[in-house]
Amino acid sequence: MIDLSRDSWMALQDMNSEDVADAICDSQAIVEAIQSNAWSDVADMVRARVELKAKRLAQVANDLPLTPWVDSEEELNLWRCYQIERQQQALEERKVKVKMNPYSKSEVVNED
């Protein structure tokens, strides 16, 4: 019986720096995350790609059909959307609560 999780773990143990470089070399999303100083995102993307590479190596060793590789363009678009959502959330958190005084047309009261 094939234990793909064990074989994937073994493939991870056998990986070298060239395998890791191959796993991340075509990722513009990783480059943009680095440029944005989003190091936790970089770590998540690198981990996901390296784990997928190990899974695919295990599938090759067991003559199984390969899991599709990462679509770099889709990865980049997803990361950009995630960044936009985070920025919008940060703006919402920073938004100053402003309330108009109903008795004055020009007075603005800051509720902080």
Side-chain angles (χ1 to χ4, degrees), residues 18-33:
E18 291 172 2
D19 293 324
V20 174
D22 181 55
I24 65 173
C25 71
D26 64 338
S27 177
Q28 184 60 33
I30 292 174
V31 172
E32 285 194 17

Side-chain angles (χ1 to χ4, degrees), residues 86-104:
R86 277 202 291 202
Q87 290 170 355
Q88 288 174 336
Q89 184 179 18
L91 287 173
E92 287 296 319
E93 290 172 2
R94 291 184 185 147
K95 187 188 279 186
V96 177
K97 296 178 183 175
V98 176
K99 182 178 178 182
M100 293 296 290
N101 183 337
Y103 302 106
S104 172

Side-chain angles (χ1 to χ4, degrees), residues 31-85:
V31 172
E32 285 194 17
I34 291 168
Q35 292 169 341
S36 297
N37 203 28
W39 293 105
S40 63
D41 295 339
V42 172
D44 290 342
M45 287 185 275
V46 168
R47 187 194 73 244
R49 281 175 163 259
V50 169
E51 286 176 348
L52 179 58
K53 173 87 173 181
K55 181 178 181 179
R56 288 170 56 93
L57 289 171
Q59 290 168 335
V60 167
N62 289 300
D63 294 323
L64 296 172
L66 293 179
T67 302
W69 188 242
V70 177
D71 181 338
S72 296
E73 195 170 317
E74 182 180 338
E75 178 188 48
L76 178 59
N77 289 334
L78 286 172
W79 187 80
R80 286 177 176 170
C81 287
Y82 179 61
Q83 281 297 97
I84 289 168
E85 288 175 9

